[in-house]
Amino acid sequence: MARTSREAPLAALLALLAAPAFGQAVVQPPIVAPTPIAPVLPGAPAPAPAPAAPARGEDQPVTFTAEEVEYDQNRALVVARGRVEAWQGNRVLRADEFTYDRNTGVATARGNVQLIEGDGQVVFADSVVLENQFRDGVLEGLRGLLAQNGRVAAAGARRTGGTVFDLSRVVYSACDPCRDDPLAPPIWQLRARTATLDQQARQARYRDAVVEFGGVPLFWTPYLQHPAGDAPRQSGFLSPTFGITRFLGAFVEAPYYWAIDESQELVLRPQIATSAVPNLGLEYRRRFNFGEIEAEGSLGYLDGSDNTERGFGGHIFSRGRFSLDETWRAGFDLNLATSEDYLRIYRYGARRLLSTQVFTEGFWGPDSYARVDGRGFQGLRRTDDNSRIPVVLPNIYWDWRSPVDPLGGTFTIDTWNFAVFRRTGTSTQRASSRIGYVLPATDAIGGLWTLRAQADLAAYGYTDLAGPPNFSTAADNGSAVQANIRAGLDWRMPFIRQAGEYGHQIVEPRVQIVTGPVTGAQARIPNEDSIDLEFTDANLFRLNRFSGRDRQEGGTRVDYALRAAWHFPNGGMIEGLAGASYRFQRDGGPFFAGSGLENRASDYVARARIMPVSWLEFLGRGRFDQEDGNMRFLDLSTSVSLPTRTTITAGYLYTPAAPYLTPVRNRDEVALGITQQIGHWRFAAYGRYDLDLNRGVTLSASAAYEDECFLLEARFLRRFAEDPATGAQYPANTILLFRIGLKTIGDIGFRAI
């Protein structure tokens, strides 16, 4: 006897829907005949529904629709026809016809079979035959839509154990079909005689595989493996890098990834070259519940060619960050290398100075902060004398900001203490504190007033003050105490004019008077944090224009500036500022010649920003001599973004010689860059040129094609920097890189020169 209906429960589909398309099936419940439905007479209450069993996992109820469903109780056969669609949870099955034979345990789905998984993977087949409680089966005409846009097709497939698919005559690609000709070969596809899709391990393995580009076979491999879908981290070889360089000769790097456990991983990067001994690089990462560690290191050997060092070399770059509780955190940075040449030759980055630190710091909202750390530095160039480079241990800092007082002002208190040690040169111990107060106010006509006050107190102990970096002629070993008080009254008046449809304009004069005791040359005070001084509009109105506390500005001065701006309705603007200072005393502090503050009347400082439209921006900042207007410092940059997806950048930089930088010389450079995108293509070029030395600084260019499945990239970089010890350019100063990426498969890099 058969029953037919348009919508009915189909218990035989329960196990099929509970099993992933490439996953393990569960034992299906037995098929039972539909329960007869008792008629309900008009006016009679409806019978109470049977209590529902809890639905969980594979026991969730199955909902399905079909144009026709037949159940033959005598033959124990269920047949559903016509747009069969069933779903359970987030899994869906579609087919033209589904048949289940209870006597043999064989289920068959025919015609446009689709198995859709919750992770986005979709498998299509012409027909599917399943047995052994749906754990084993055979599929014909398989086509799959996997995660990350992966597409697979096979003439036939066999499923074993519910988790492994063995495929024959396989084609795989992550490329979208051509819109104009869907049957045309994609940009790339992988063909293999056989393949295995392991759903449990989320891996695809191919044997006797060929990679085709545009339908043309270009690369053959006996074995290839890649993740299938959202595969978890797994150990295995990563894509290799090939290349040819002047120092290494021909080389190959074949990295191996080791997934140690869920919280840590290691990458081994062995490198074999024809003109150098093997090099081994390591990358290690580990995450904790309270922090993380990252480390990179290597071991190699330099043969001494082209004025490089001879002997073993290596490096380690590492960092760690840890949360101790809601207030405190700790961390470290450990960076060491044998030489800059080693890093350049073996492609670990060009670095001149490495820093190492261990620290702990605490945060109490936005109003208080504390930090304790130790720091060390390493110079990598042969001209660097590391005996003069300091070790700082300890370095202690704490600050606190008070709530706003009844007058509207705010107090700040901090202390900054450190000990600096050098094998050659000045060693310093300092204990210092600072108290500050800021009180803003507004007058009746709209003027903005700000009262600032600052008091500094510091005690020093030092040895070899006559050595670097102080070179003092007034003292050598001893101690000193320094105190200073600075107070300033700042006034500015913004005049605003509405310009109707053209936005609004602002003109804002600003004047500040700052006073305090004369501080003198301070030759008996060691200088550790105020060596670098650059006078610009950014520090024009600071109470102390020195960057740190070891050098204190003194005397009375007046700062003045005029700022003007025009704000447009489209968000654009034109803004500029010009200002200077005048000191009443000749002695205002130990400002070096050329700093712009060595005279009573300071240099003029200015800045400008022009951005009338969103695609054009100009930024400029400069300093000019008070007497003749000669340029002392100038930094210009501009950016233009055109509707043609073209971006042009240009810049100019001039900085005068500074006594604390070696070599002591002016910097006079221009820079120009351009990027262009055309469809899936992008091009870029950039260059910097030193006008003072009449030679290039850097030159780079790149071209790349990238779409949903393919990446082809070429990069060129040339550095013209010279080693001051030899006068020759640094080794490995030219780089040419090629990269081919097959998305979801991997990429291959090639480096030349």
Side-chain angles (χ1 to χ4, degrees):
M1 178 179 180
R3 293 180 181 269
T4 302
S5 65
R6 295 189 61 85
E7 296 189 6
L10 186 57
L13 290 178
L14 178 60
L16 179 62
L17 268 295
F22 290 140
Q24 179 176 347
V26 298
V27 178
Q28 82 281 7
I31 296 179
V32 296
T35 303
I37 300 177
V40 180
L41 299 178
R56 179 177 300 176
E58 60 270 14
D59 295 329
Q60 291 183 1
V62 175
T63 304
F64 89 98
T65 61
E67 294 181 346
E68 180 181 346
V69 177
E70 295 182 358
Y71 174 68
D72 191 331
Q73 189 171 12
N74 296 328
R75 299 170 56 193
L77 188 67
V78 177
V79 180
R81 299 186 183 90
R83 292 189 293 181
V84 179
E85 181 170 339
W87 58 91
Q88 179 189 40
N90 54 5
R91 300 186 181 96
V92 179
L93 166 70
R94 297 190 181 109
D96 293 339
E97 179 180 297
F98 178 84
T99 303
Y100 178 76
D101 190 333
R102 184 179 178 185
N103 295 324
T104 61
V106 175
T108 303
R110 299 185 181 90
N112 300 313
V113 180
Q114 300 179 30
L115 300 174
I116 306 173
E117 291 301 310
D119 61 0
Q121 300 191 53
V122 183
V123 174
F124 304 88
D126 296 333
S127 64
V128 177
V129 179
L130 301 173
E131 60 182 359
N132 189 21
Q133 300 176 346
F134 302 132
R135 297 173 59 85
D136 304 330
V138 176
L139 295 83
E140 294 183 358
L142 179 141
R143 301 172 304 281
L145 180 61
L146 308 180
Q148 300 177 340
N149 204 46
R151 303 167 188 268
V152 63
R158 178 181 297 276
R159 185 170 75 173
T160 305
T163 59
V164 178
F165 273 75
D166 293 313
L167 312 177
S168 63
R169 291 188 292 170
V170 186
V171 178
Y172 173 83
S173 179
C175 301
D176 292 333
C178 178
R179 295 181 180 179
D180 299 330
D181 185 5
L183 299 180
I187 294 179
W188 68 266
Q189 63 183 3
L190 177 66
R191 289 186 178 272
R193 180 172 53 85
T194 61
T196 300
L197 292 178
D198 190 334
Q199 183 64 7
Q200 185 174 8
R202 295 286 184 176
Q203 291 291 312
R205 305 178 182 91
Y206 304 88
R207 295 167 182 82
D208 192 11
V210 176
V211 179
E212 298 180 352
F213 288 88
V216 179
L218 294 181
F219 177 75
W220 174 86
T221 177
Y223 179 83
L224 180 65
Q225 177 178 338
H226 69 83
D230 54 347
R233 300 179 306 119
Q234 296 189 25
S235 301
F237 284 98
L238 304 178
S239 300
T241 299
F242 305 91
I244 299 176
T245 70
R246 183 162 59 95
F247 289 89
L248 301 179
F251 73 90
V252 59
E253 180 181 280
Y256 181 83
Y257 175 78
W258 179 18
I260 301 174
D261 54 34
E262 294 182 354
S263 62
Q264 56 183 330
E265 59 190 13
L266 177 68
V267 180
L268 302 175
R269 296 186 178 275
Q271 184 181 108
I272 300 176
T274 58
S275 301
V277 300
N279 181 273
L280 178 62
L282 302 172
E283 296 177 15
Y284 176 76
R285 289 176 288 271
R286 181 169 185 177
R287 293 186 180 275
F288 306 89
N289 291 333
F290 57 92
E292 63 180 7
I293 292 177
E294 297 179 359
E296 169 192 328
S298 71
L299 180 64
Y301 185 86
L302 296 179
D303 59 8
S305 60
D306 288 354
N307 295 319
T308 61
E309 299 90 345
R310 182 182 182 88
F312 287 98
H315 84 285
I316 179 171
F317 300 153
S318 62
R319 67 186 298 271
R321 298 293 184 268
F322 311 98
S323 296
L324 305 181
D325 55 31
E326 295 182 355
T327 301
W328 290 91
R329 73 172 185 174
F332 71 87
D333 293 285
L334 176 62
N335 300 295
L336 297 170
T338 53
S339 68
E340 185 182 18
D341 289 344
Y342 173 84
L343 297 178
R344 288 175 177 268
I345 290 173
Y346 284 103
R347 305 177 301 117
Y348 293 115
R351 305 192 187 188
R352 178 179 178 180
L353 180 69
L354 299 179
S355 62
T356 296
Q357 66 169 342
V358 178
F359 70 90
T360 181
E361 56 187 357
F363 302 84
W364 293 267
D367 298 325
S368 186
Y369 170 77
R371 179 184 175 99
V372 179
D373 65 59
R375 308 179 187 184
F377 306 91
Q378 180 191 13
L380 296 182
R381 295 187 176 177
R382 279 173 282 188
T383 55
D384 293 335
D385 185 354
N386 280 292
S387 67
R388 296 186 175 190
I389 297 178
V391 174
V392 184
L393 183 68
N395 179 51
I396 304 172
Y397 178 83
W398 170 82
D399 66 25
W400 173 77
R401 183 179 63 185
S402 73
V404 178
D405 63 24
L407 298 178
T410 304
F411 281 95
T412 58
I413 302 175
D414 68 54
T415 179
W416 186 6
N417 316 287
F418 58 72
V420 175
F421 301 94
R422 293 180 177 88
R423 286 177 292 161
T424 301
T426 306
S427 294
T428 306
Q429 298 80 46
R430 186 187 81 179
S432 69
S433 62
R434 171 178 288 176
I435 299 177
Y437 183 73
V438 177
L439 176 63
T442 304
D443 60 29
I445 61 174
L448 304 178
W449 297 80
T450 304
L451 174 65
R452 298 184 182 90
Q454 179 177 291
D456 285 284
L457 177 64
Y460 297 86
Y462 52 83
T463 59
D464 196 10
L465 193 62
N470 290 276
F471 300 104
S472 174
T473 59
D476 192 9
N477 302 326
S479 60
V481 176
Q482 178 172 250
N484 191 29
I485 297 177
R486 304 288 285 167
L489 183 61
D490 187 344
W491 171 86
R492 55 192 177 96
M493 173 65 77
F495 296 96
I496 302 176
R497 175 181 178 272
Q498 296 296 329
E501 61 180 348
Y502 299 103
H504 64 276
Q505 301 161 348
I506 300 176
V507 176
E508 183 181 74
R510 182 176 181 181
V511 179
Q512 175 180 251
I513 183 169
V514 180
T515 188
V518 176
T519 55
Q522 306 168 51
R524 295 180 177 273
I525 304 297
N527 185 4
E528 299 290 353
D529 66 1
S530 303
I531 296 176
D532 184 10
L533 171 64
E534 186 175 61
F535 177 49
T536 67
D537 63 285
N539 58 1
L540 171 63
F541 290 93
R542 289 183 185 173
L543 298 182
N544 181 21
R545 262 86 70 97
F546 287 101
S547 56
R549 306 185 184 186
D550 291 338
R551 290 295 178 263
Q552 294 286 329
E553 185 176 359
T556 301
R557 73 171 199 259
V558 175
D559 309 321
Y560 52 93
L562 179 66
R563 174 181 172 268
W566 191 340
H567 296 266
F568 303 115
N570 63 353
M573 65 175 298
I574 299 176
E575 188 255 0
L577 178 145
S581 293
Y582 181 81
R583 190 171 58 245
F584 292 96
Q585 295 85 9
R586 182 175 299 276
D587 184 5
F591 298 109
F592 60 85
S595 65
L597 294 169
E598 66 271 24
N599 300 318
R600 286 188 174 184
S602 74
D603 288 347
Y604 291 107
V605 294
R607 75 164 184 264
R609 182 183 184 188
I610 302 175
M611 192 179 66
V613 289
S614 60
W615 51 267
L616 173 63
E617 183 175 15
F618 169 83
L619 297 174
R621 176 170 286 169
R623 179 162 57 88
F624 306 91
D625 188 270
Q626 174 75 239
E627 297 180 356
D628 54 20
N630 287 337
M631 181 175 62
R632 293 283 193 94
F633 164 79
L634 189 61
D635 185 3
L636 305 175
S637 65
T638 185
S639 174
V640 181
S641 300
L642 302 178
T644 57
R645 303 176 72 184
T646 304
T647 301
I648 302 173
T649 59
Y652 174 78
L653 175 64
Y654 173 81
T655 60
Y660 51 83
L661 293 178
T662 56
V664 180
R665 68 173 187 86
N666 297 337
R667 288 184 62 190
D668 194 6
E669 297 178 358
V670 293
L672 179 65
I674 182 171
T675 62
Q676 175 68 60
Q677 294 189 28
I678 304 175
H680 293 292
W681 288 91
R682 61 178 184 268
F683 305 91
Y686 175 80
R688 284 172 54 200
Y689 190 84
D690 193 314
L691 300 175
D692 186 50
L693 298 178
N694 195 27
R695 64 170 172 82
V697 179
T698 58
L699 178 64
S700 65
S702 66
Y705 173 90
E706 183 175 9
D707 58 21
E708 78 283 351
C709 68
F710 181 66
L711 171 65
L712 175 63
E713 183 178 25
R715 290 180 176 270
F716 172 81
L717 173 63
R718 174 69 187 275
R719 299 185 181 96
F720 299 90
E722 296 180 352
D723 187 341
T726 63
Q729 294 184 359
Y730 285 100
N733 59 355
T734 304
I735 299 174
L736 180 60
L737 296 173
F738 296 95
R739 179 186 172 199
I740 299 176
L742 308 181
K743 296 184 179 179
T744 72
I745 296 289
D747 56 11
I748 297 177
F750 180 83
R751 170 174 172 166
I753 305 179

